[in-house]
Amino acid sequence: MATVLVRRRFPRLSRVTAALLTSSAPCKAEGGGGRRKEEEEEEEENPKKGAAIQLLTPPGYRVLHNPAAYARSRARSSFQAFGDAPSSSAVPAASSQLLPPARNALAKPLHRKKTPLRAKQEVEKEQSELHDSKEDPRVFQRGRPEYKSLCYDRFEPLETLPGEEAEAILLGVTAQRGSQDPETVTECFHKLSRLPEERRAALLAEPDFDALSRCAVEQIQSFATLQLVEILKACVRLGVPPAHPLLDACERDFCRRAWAMSLEQLLLVADCWRCLQRAVPSYLSILFSYAARSCKDLALPQLVQLLYIIGEGRRAPPELVEKLEGVIWKHLDACTLEEVGAISLGLFKSLSAVPERLVRRIAERVTPELEEMSTYALVNVLKLLRYARLDHLPLLRELGKVIPPRIPATNVQGLMHVALTCSSLHYYDEAVLAAVAAALPSKVAYCRSKDAAKFLWSFGCLDYEPPNEEEFYSSLIQHTRRKLREFDRFPEHLLTGLLGLAFVGRFPEELIDYALSEDFVQKTRNSKYELGKDLFTLGRSVEIECPGYRGSRLSPQLSQEVTQLVLAFAQQEIFVRPEMVEAVSLLESVLGGPEYVKSHMILPHTRSADLEVHLAADGRPVPFNLKDSAGRELRDIGVSLTDDLMAQLLKGKWSSQPRRGAENEATAPGWEPREEKQAPQTPFSGRSGPVSTSLHVLPPPGGFLDASSSPAPPQQPGGVKLAIQVSNRNHYCYLSKRLLGLHRLKRRQLRLLGYVVLELPFWEWFPLLKRTRSEKLSYLHYKVFDPALLRGAP
């Protein structure tokens, strides 16, 4: 009779056609799309409020249970985390049109017939490009035997369970109807987890497996801790869905008994939760509280595994990270290179405030052995450097020797992080960038939408156009078109890529039309990032550089709002900088008064300040800044606004005070004191008509640009409008005189608007700030009245 039952029931384990399609889909997503689930960029690491981690106190605490935080199918979450929608998404027809002055030389894809050899090479290449964000960070665990007690070992050899024995186990569960003792239940789970992988999905669909799970849930408090750990490990092998009721019960019970467990057991259970892709913020809170009490006693493997768990949880209490800093210092020299990479990745993913001295110490630790370090571990260190904004020059120089030969064998996400690190640190290394650019076109099909955007941004930020620039940019632009609808969920990435293109003067029309459309602008308002400034920079750049553009444009209201925000920031952060204040004051002395200089933002969308000066054809300064001049004169000479004075102002009887004479040692050539005359009104001259009677008429030092002002004041025939740039180190690549993309874009656009760009470079101007006033005035006189400026006028 039993034999008949076995024969009748066994095919149920083999019914993979229906059950496998439903139950194994999450497992397949782990290997494919699921590998994209865990994002490794700090801008996308904001977990939900329900997953907040706090240090807890021992018994007496209250467990905050939120099992739904990770309780979602792996297949669905793999797209949610990365923003990569299925490739079948509807995408508008891609046009190859690029707006002038951008280059319109997009390479046409070559269609070649696949041979068996070519097909095999493509399969091998695809495998090499796959990045398993679940398994790759765990490589360090294979370096020491001590990790076997701290983490789940998926490579542990287990004897395969025959299907007949599995059926017998399920029959026993049915026969005893949930009356098994904890030891028997544990043994059942352990044996069933040894089924061949292709049969596990069908097992999970069995009603008898549900009965076994209910039995475990009903008596879960009767299990010993080791038995419960074994059941959890069996669930990992079986691929139990993260929202399964059995896991709910396990989480509750582990939280209940956590303070009685050892640190090794706590770390092992946390690792199992990670393998199950289930969020357990309450459990992690207890683990972190437990670890904080015994930080000084952490062994090296315990430290590294704890930092791995912290990173995968995406949050850690700041006080715990602070305590761990000393332990990292203690063990760092004894760490393997893979462990150093794991520590770096854990600190990076935790979004903690990592002290610069610790990051520098990690960089010093790996620099001499960079060539022996795996590319994955090296990229993790680069992520930490980028996050900490640390320009460790010895490591970066060594990177330029080690990375280029590895580029062809590095997957596309690794390439993206290398390029992004260079741009984030403003570090220009042509060998690294050229190697990345040469390898990318053949790998571009494996780019996420985010990867393509970051590549465009990185190369545009550093203003680097590689030898294969047309192939490089055309492949990325075409890939962006193919993934256009994915940007609806992560609009910041599309703007990132388009700004990178704008920096190097490339404006793909249909992408810009889509990005500036009302629908997309509305999507940016729903983003967790403030994207108005990026939209403003893109929209105004297109207006200036692409006069033939006829697509979507930003609304005047949005442009006005962002302009006001940018100007308010400039008043507080830019115009008050010592180098700016000093330059304005001294230029007024050189030129003859405040009416000859205007400190403002000619192009607010470039988010930096300018000092504007007008010169006539004969080189004499032309007064044009009457609005700021009136306020400055009243303030400088101490005029009191009496009733009589106000009456004179209202009747138009007031004339401005004679401007101050220029310094003897820095007067303009051919300039002589003359009677003050009102300059013609320009868009920068302020309002025409009587002066305002408001007592709050005086602007803060530095002045500001009215949001309604036009960025191109009319120029006198034969004269020149100077846009004086007071630069600083942040305008240039690290330790070089190579302008970054945004500032090169600004100067290009100023020239298009008729300005002559004059720079006070920081390597000249900053040292002069410590010199005498006479030296500074002489320097400014030499710069402003250089005859070459008039010859270079448009």
Side-chain angles (χ1 to χ4, degrees), residues 169-181 185 208 211-212 214-216 218-219:
I169 293 172
L170 294 177
L171 280 174
V173 171
T174 304
Q176 298 186 32
R177 295 186 178 181
S179 61
Q180 296 98 327
D181 58 69
V185 173
D208 292 340
L212 179 62
R214 285 196 301 272
C215 179
E218 290 169 359
Q219 49 183 319

Side-chain angles (χ1 to χ4, degrees), residues 348-400:
F348 168 78
K349 285 185 174 182
S350 72
L351 296 183
S352 303
V354 185
E356 181 180 320
R357 59 178 183 172
L358 177 58
V359 181
R360 190 171 295 278
R361 178 68 186 88
I362 290 174
E364 291 170 353
R365 164 70 177 83
V366 302
T367 298
E369 303 177 69
L370 213 60
E371 194 167 351
E372 285 74 40
M373 201 171 192
S374 73
T375 303
Y376 182 77
L378 174 55
V379 166
N380 290 339
V381 174
L382 294 181
K383 291 176 184 177
L384 184 60
L385 288 179
R386 186 178 81 230
Y387 179 65
R389 294 287 189 265
L390 179 65
D391 47 357
H392 191 274
L393 193 57
L395 186 146
L396 292 173
R397 285 176 174 166
E398 191 66 21
L399 183 73

Side-chain angles (χ1 to χ4, degrees), residues 412-679:
V412 76
Q413 291 189 36
L415 297 186
M416 182 272 287
H417 285 296
V418 170
L420 188 59
T421 298
C422 290
S423 67
S424 297
L425 299 180
H426 296 173
Y427 184 72
Y428 180 83
D429 189 314
E430 188 169 0
V432 172
L433 296 174
V436 171
L440 186 62
S442 63
K443 298 172 178 279
V444 75
Y446 304 101
C447 282
R448 301 166 295 173
S449 52
K450 171 187 174 177
D451 295 330
K454 296 295 185 182
F455 279 120
L456 292 172
W457 168 266
S458 299
F459 279 70
C461 176
L462 296 173
D463 191 43
Y464 176 66
E465 297 210 354
N468 63 332
E469 62 177 291
E470 293 305 333
E471 181 188 19
F472 174 81
Y473 281 110
S474 64
S475 64
L476 284 172
I477 291 171
Q478 290 175 0
H479 191 69
T480 302
R481 291 186 183 114
R482 288 192 293 268
K483 290 186 169 286
L484 190 59
R485 292 303 178 188
E486 297 180 17
F487 294 109
D488 288 349
R489 300 181 61 192
F490 296 95
E492 61 273 11
H493 296 327
L494 179 58
L495 294 179
T496 293
L498 291 178
L499 285 177
L501 286 169
F503 292 163
V504 293
R506 294 175 180 266
F507 299 88
E509 182 174 4
E510 74 283 1
L511 294 180
I512 293 171
D513 180 49
Y514 183 74
L516 299 181
S517 66
E518 292 184 8
D519 289 344
F520 188 81
V521 170
Q522 184 57 44
K523 291 181 176 67
T524 66
R525 295 183 183 274
N526 299 328
S527 171
K528 62 185 177 182
Y529 303 103
E530 172 51 55
L531 301 178
K533 294 178 182 178
D534 290 344
L535 282 168
F536 186 47
T537 300
L538 179 64
R540 294 302 296 271
S541 295
V542 171
E543 291 177 13
I544 295 172
E545 299 204 48
C546 307
Y549 173 70
R550 295 294 179 266
S552 303
R553 296 184 183 272
L554 293 184
S555 67
Q557 180 182 0
L558 178 59
S559 298
Q560 180 84 3
E561 290 174 1
V562 179
T563 300
Q564 295 295 351
L565 287 175
V566 172
L567 295 177
F569 172 80
Q571 291 292 345
Q572 298 176 2
E573 301 292 337
I574 300 179
F575 294 132
V576 296
R577 291 174 183 169
E579 64 270 20
M580 290 290 294
V581 174
E582 186 82 348
V584 172
S585 175
L586 293 170
L587 278 172
E588 289 175 357
S589 297
V590 168
L591 300 172
E595 62 269 34
Y596 293 90
V597 185
K598 187 175 182 67
S599 175
H600 65 139
M601 303 177 84
I602 299 175
L603 302 177
H605 65 279
T606 61
R607 312 174 202 179
S608 54
D610 312 273
L611 305 181
E612 184 173 358
V613 171
H614 292 187
L615 299 178
D618 58 1
R620 292 185 300 172
V622 177
F624 69 101
N625 186 25
L626 301 184
K627 179 178 179 181
D628 287 353
S629 174
R632 292 288 294 276
E633 288 293 344
L634 289 173
R635 181 182 58 191
D636 291 342
I637 65 176
V639 175
S640 300
L641 292 179
T642 62
D643 291 340
D644 291 339
L645 179 56
M646 296 299 291
Q648 288 180 344
L649 289 171
L650 292 172
K651 294 177 182 178
K653 296 181 179 180
W654 176 262
S655 61
S656 61
Q657 294 288 332
R659 60 181 174 79
R660 294 166 292 172
E663 297 290 334
N664 292 333
E665 67 270 30
T667 53
W671 182 88
E672 296 179 359
R674 62 188 184 278
E675 184 180 354
E676 183 71 13
K677 295 182 180 179
Q678 177 147 338

Side-chain angles (χ1 to χ4, degrees), residues 2 9 50 65 225 228 289 398 407 433 443 536 572 610 752 758 786:
R9 293 173 56 86
H65 177 56
T225 299
L228 201 57
S289 299
E398 191 66 21
I407 292 296
L433 296 174
K443 298 172 178 279
F536 186 47
Q572 298 176 2
D610 312 273
L752 287 173
L758 170 64
D786 183 355

